[in-house]
Amino acid sequence: MSQIEKSKIEVVPSPPGIEGPGFFATRIDKAVGMARANSLWPLPFATSCCGIEFMATMASTYDLGRFGAERLSFSPRQADLLMVMGTIAKKMGPVLRQVYEQMAEPRWVLAMGACASSGGIFDTYSVLQGIDRIIPVDVYIPGCPPRPEQVLDGIMQIQKLVETESIRRRDTPEYKQMLAKYNIE
Amino acid sequence: MDQSLLSTVGDKLKTQFGAGIISSEMIADYPVFIVNRDIIEQVVKFLYHDETLAFQYLTTLAALHYPDNKGHELGVMYQLHNLQKNYRIRLKIFFSSNDPVVPTITSVFSGANWMERQEFDFFGIIFSGHPNLKRILNVDDMNYHPMRKEYPLEDGTREDKDDRMFGR
């Protein structure tokens, strides 16, 4: 039997705290943040070629599972992270908005690729010029389409946000104000 | 064969409709007939039911916009096909953009229903007698017809297309 070298296994480091024989004390928001960041359930909203690139990101070579996000949720009610990948036509806008509204707090949004971020090459009457016109976005990934490495980088940025945010972001006045700007209850 | 098709169909149409047939000519290998807008439904019906012509398949239908062609800015083009003998012809009508009303041909071809809705959506051509004339591809609350040449292709709300950044 081959032995796996201990140094090759990477485990998420524990948050700063006080450790003693038989106990470990830390702040609840640090513990919750760590747990949330490493168990994201993404909802893939893939409409075009960025979706293909996302499939590569999920597959074994790049393997999003290494970041604790291998469980995709195809119901918005269970998802934490909405990944919008591809061109969103104006007719698709209300659908995307409804998906976002159905997600439970805490929720994050990642816009992958030029089209989701700004409309991309489709500067035309039928295409939404960036999803941030209808829903708030946390992280943008540039590229047309972005490489899986960039997607992983975007996911890590989201993880950083999730880890460091207060556990009840939804109660903050800034957050409420931002949702009110988008007319989202 | 195409030349003889032009004269066969042209002669039949001329005897039936007289001055309603404005012109007939070959464009590449396609016989093209320009007809009066008001009789388009009767022409299509005649071509469908005539035993020797039997144009019983509507390949496509498309709107045209030539803004410089004053008085006849808008048009509709119909491609008809005889599936038994593999004949095909093209019909065209032209009219002013101030009066974009065309008789529907859905009574002859049910398949024209969605095609005519598309041309209404993109060019604002009103097909009189159409059973359900509303937008089909664009968002329902769009307030213009985007394929008309007076409207820009671009969305017009982009903020990142700043020429100073791209050196255009």
Side-chain angles (χ1 to χ4, degrees):
Chain A
M1 249 181 80
S2 63
Q3 286 252 309
I4 303 167
E5 279 177 61
K6 205 179 172 217
S7 62
K8 282 196 175 170
I9 305 170
E10 261 192 62
V11 181
V12 178
S14 53
I18 298 158
E19 204 174 352
F23 79 96
F24 177 75
T26 183
R27 278 167 53 192
I28 184 83
D29 61 336
K30 299 272 182 220
V32 168
M34 185 193 77
R36 278 178 179 172
N38 294 289
S39 62
L40 285 171
W41 283 21
L43 166 61
F45 195 96
T47 51
S48 44
C49 39
C50 282
I52 308 290
E53 214 67 12
F54 175 70
M55 291 171 207
T57 314
M58 289 305 296
S60 48
T61 308
Y62 295 97
D63 194 10
L64 199 57
R66 296 180 293 143
F67 301 85
E70 75 265 59
R71 201 290 185 183
L72 298 182
S73 169
F74 293 100
S75 160
R77 293 165 205 279
Q78 298 170 325
D80 306 306
L81 171 64
L82 176 61
M83 297 180 72
V84 183
M85 304 170 277
T87 320
I88 302 297
K90 278 180 182 161
K91 221 170 176 178
M92 188 62 107
V95 179
L96 178 64
R97 196 184 152 95
Q98 194 179 0
V99 167
Y100 178 77
E101 282 173 348
Q102 285 179 355
M103 288 169 72
E105 291 281 358
R107 55 187 169 182
W108 294 273
V109 178
L110 186 145
M112 173 178 174
C115 294
S117 303
S118 74
I121 59 168
F122 301 103
D123 182 5
T124 178
Y125 59 89
S126 60
V127 172
L128 193 67
Q129 303 298 302
I131 60 163
D132 52 8
R133 307 214 163 192
I134 51 166
I135 56 172
V137 177
D138 293 281
V139 170
Y140 300 85
I141 307 176
C144 186
R147 295 222 9 111
E149 288 93 333
Q150 290 172 272
V151 183
L152 293 180
D153 186 57
I155 293 278
M156 286 161 78
Q157 303 260 10
I158 287 275
Q159 283 185 311
K160 209 168 280 173
L161 267 180
V162 174
E163 240 171 40
T164 51
E165 242 164 30
S166 75
I167 44 175
R168 289 182 69 82
R169 173 177 70 157
R170 60 185 175 279
D171 288 343
T172 60
E174 299 84 45
Y175 190 72
K176 284 181 182 164
Q177 209 177 4
M178 184 206 53
L179 285 188
K181 215 173 70 191
Y182 286 96
N183 287 318
I184 294 170
E185 288 286 305
Chain B
M1 187 209 77
D2 292 310
Q3 197 65 45
S4 68
L5 180 65
L6 178 77
S7 52
T8 321
V9 179
D11 292 347
K12 282 214 174 200
L13 285 177
K14 285 239 167 65
T15 32
Q16 185 74 17
F17 297 101
I21 309 302
I22 295 161
S23 80
S24 61
E25 59 170 326
M26 290 297 289
I27 296 179
D29 60 342
Y30 238 116
V32 179
F33 301 93
I34 299 179
V35 306
N36 190 322
R37 163 182 54 172
D38 302 323
I39 59 162
I40 184 67
E41 192 188 357
Q42 285 95 300
V43 170
V44 170
K45 205 173 266 174
F46 171 75
L47 292 170
Y48 186 98
H49 291 294
D50 187 279
E51 271 175 26
T52 49
L53 300 179
F55 286 101
Q56 297 186 346
Y57 177 64
L58 176 68
T59 310
T60 189
L61 176 167
L64 318 161
H65 189 207
Y66 294 104
D68 296 335
N69 202 359
K70 294 287 173 225
H72 301 89
E73 293 93 347
L74 285 169
V76 182
M77 182 276 299
Y78 304 83
Q79 278 184 17
L80 299 172
H81 199 127
N82 178 331
L83 287 169
Q84 290 156 358
K85 297 173 189 156
N86 209 19
Y87 292 159
R88 49 187 197 168
I89 59 161
R90 200 178 278 163
L91 299 176
K92 283 183 184 178
I93 52 176
F94 288 100
F95 44 90
S96 160
S97 56
N98 297 322
D99 176 32
V101 183
V102 175
T104 180
I105 60 161
T106 47
S107 56
V108 189
F109 295 107
S110 300
N113 188 317
W114 283 16
M115 297 181 193
E116 288 181 350
R117 274 177 69 185
Q118 173 178 296
E119 302 320 333
F120 165 71
D121 191 351
F122 284 102
F123 290 88
I125 293 168
I126 294 153
F127 290 89
S128 59
H130 190 283
N132 183 27
L133 195 65
K134 59 176 188 183
R135 286 187 188 272
I136 185 167
L137 289 169
N138 284 306
V139 282
D140 290 330
D141 56 3
M142 187 177 255
N143 55 7
Y144 68 108
H145 302 286
M147 283 293 159
R148 290 257 190 120
K149 290 200 197 320
E150 63 258 39
Y151 298 109
L153 176 70
E154 286 83 10
D155 180 76
T157 60
R158 272 291 262 275
E159 287 146 12
D160 61 334
K161 277 194 164 179
D162 191 333
D163 283 356
R164 284 170 305 176
M165 292 179 201
F166 296 99
R168 279 190 289 244

